[in-house]
Amino acid sequence: MAATTEDGRPTEAGRRGDRRDALLAGLVALALLGLFVAVQWARLNSFDGKVAVSTARAMTEGRLHLLPAEDPTKHHFPYSHYGIGMPLVLLPLYLLQRALHIAPHLLESLASPLLLAPTGALLYLAGRELRWSRRLSLAGALVFGALTQALQISQEAWSEPGVALAVALVVLGMLRWRTGHAGGPWLVGSGLGVGLLFRSDSALLVGSALALLPAFVPWRRLLSERRAWAGLVLPVLPVLAWTAWYSLRRDGSLVPAVYGGTFTTPLPTGFYGLVLSPGKGLFAYNPFLLLAIPGAVALWRRDRAATALLVWLMLDRVLLYSRWSDWAGGVSWGPRFLMPAVGPFALLAVYGVSRIPRLRPALRGELHDAYAVTEEHAGSDPSGIATTAVRRDGGWVIDGEKWFVTTGDIASVYIVMANALVDGEPLGTLFLVDRELDGIEVVDDPPFTHTYPHGHPTIRFEGVEVDDEDVIG
């Protein structure tokens, strides 16, 4: 965020800072694009991706409808039920691919990386608007790209990467609108428009963020800024017109029809499945995002409006899709429907790390940490964890054995998952455990057939005493 003079104009130092942030955001986008491209298979295996590609190719022939051979299931015949956003991204990639006579899907598989890379750049800029350091803002962007399911989703041509971009636009826009930046409302409006292009449910799931707008901009200022409202509305109008026209042709109604299921799943069942279950749970597939919980608590004390926004963009998805009959999202890696909101949670997670004094050197690269979760009978299913933490004299005593603790041989601190016994009931809890404490022993370091420079030892915790302040959550 740029420094300003008394009349609100940016100082020369502020302009230099803005230029540096713009440059770093561009470098973040390039770095993430390289990462996403590196994991591509140059093929699109999912049914949804194939429908998007078929729609894009149909557009090159001057039509929007699909032919029978392009959708053998007839689920999307004659018109696709998916948003037009992904076919629009695929269209130039397909045309270039055809003009260069290169292998099918080689360029089309870059559609999601081209959406997710700028999403990371926007998250970096959002961190800067929150007055975070460049290092912390970079960490948030890189965590999003490398330590969340975004890396896996980048290999498919689904609508979720486009909605993730829309969410990031809205977050940055709301933060900039608060500070009086003229581009803030335009970013929010663009985010709403982009979200609608990819998924019609974005009208609710992304648009609901506007309910928090008075927490960012006082009502008196909102009512007096007519140009701001123009920036909010104008990007959305053409998308609404397109959506209504296309829905009328496809569904016979100006409002898109609900496709693919019904809201019949009991809320507790869907909530557990999306958030906690080992098969599709948010934290099972994005374990680093567990730190978003203490991060949200810490950020709430400093910036309640921003915290509410970042949390709500995930919570509204959980609440809606917990009731959906296909809440799991079909064949996908992790909770597909929650993926658009992992960016805001990545920001909260790195903020949580930055607030833990003992882990601040880790963020600076001065020491190493290691996750100690897997056990002999537990790993991807944390419900089988046998390690316990028993309350004692203002702290906890940890007992258990962890397997395959990656970088455990060089780590200075371990993040240990254990069942805290509260009133006799086990409660899964993360603890920060210093390696130098008594009772920690490396009992095995099995060899692996890879070139990774560090080990994956088995570590035993026997009567290890930690304080209450070492409880992460």
Side-chain angles (χ1 to χ4, degrees), residues 77-328:
F77 181 76
Y79 292 101
S80 168
H81 286 278
Y82 302 142
I84 198 65
M86 184 53 77
L88 288 176
V89 177
L90 287 163
L91 179 59
L93 296 173
Y94 169 68
L95 290 173
L96 182 60
Q97 182 177 277
R98 188 174 67 178
L100 296 177
H101 303 288
I102 58 180
H105 302 319
L106 185 62
L107 294 183
E108 291 168 329
S109 64
L110 301 182
S112 288
L114 289 171
L115 294 166
L116 292 171
T119 300
L122 293 171
L123 292 173
Y124 165 78
L125 294 173
R128 295 294 290 146
E129 288 296 324
L130 289 167
R131 299 179 181 272
W132 294 356
S133 68
R134 289 190 174 92
R135 183 177 295 162
L136 185 58
S137 302
L138 282 170
L142 296 178
V143 162
F144 162 74
L147 297 182
T148 72
Q149 66 189 102
L151 191 63
Q152 291 287 335
I153 296 292
S154 73
Q155 301 173 24
E156 297 288 354
W158 291 339
S159 57
E160 279 72 20
V163 184
L165 177 63
V167 167
L169 283 167
V170 169
V171 169
L172 179 60
M174 297 273 274
L175 294 172
R176 287 192 169 177
W177 197 341
R178 175 170 64 176
T179 60
H181 195 294
W186 289 92
L187 286 170
V188 175
S190 298
L192 295 176
V194 169
L196 282 169
L197 276 177
F198 283 86
R199 289 188 70 97
S200 56
D201 62 9
S202 296
L204 174 63
L205 295 177
V206 181
S208 63
L210 292 179
L212 296 171
L213 189 55
F216 288 84
V217 186
W219 274 110
R220 182 176 298 179
R221 189 176 137 203
L222 279 174
L223 296 175
S224 65
E225 293 182 345
R226 296 182 179 179
R227 291 186 179 180
W229 286 102
L232 177 65
V233 173
L234 289 179
V236 181
L237 288 179
V239 180
L240 287 175
W242 157 264
T243 302
W245 175 83
Y246 189 64
S247 298
L248 189 62
R249 292 177 64 91
R250 182 185 61 195
D251 305 320
S253 167
L254 293 175
V255 179
V258 175
Y259 164 77
T262 56
F263 293 98
T264 54
T265 301
L267 182 63
T269 301
F271 186 91
Y272 171 78
L274 283 171
V275 179
L276 302 173
S277 73
K280 281 289 183 177
L282 173 70
F283 296 126
Y285 285 84
N286 305 270
F288 190 87
L289 297 189
L290 280 165
L291 294 170
I293 299 172
V297 173
L299 187 60
W300 179 259
R301 302 188 185 114
R302 172 181 173 182
D303 192 335
R304 294 190 174 185
T307 307
L309 176 63
L310 298 177
V311 171
W312 175 248
L313 287 167
M314 176 65 79
L315 184 60
D316 66 347
R317 292 187 166 275
V318 172
L319 292 176
L320 179 72
Y321 281 109
S322 290
R323 295 279 291 137
W324 190 239
S325 55
D326 185 24
W327 56 263

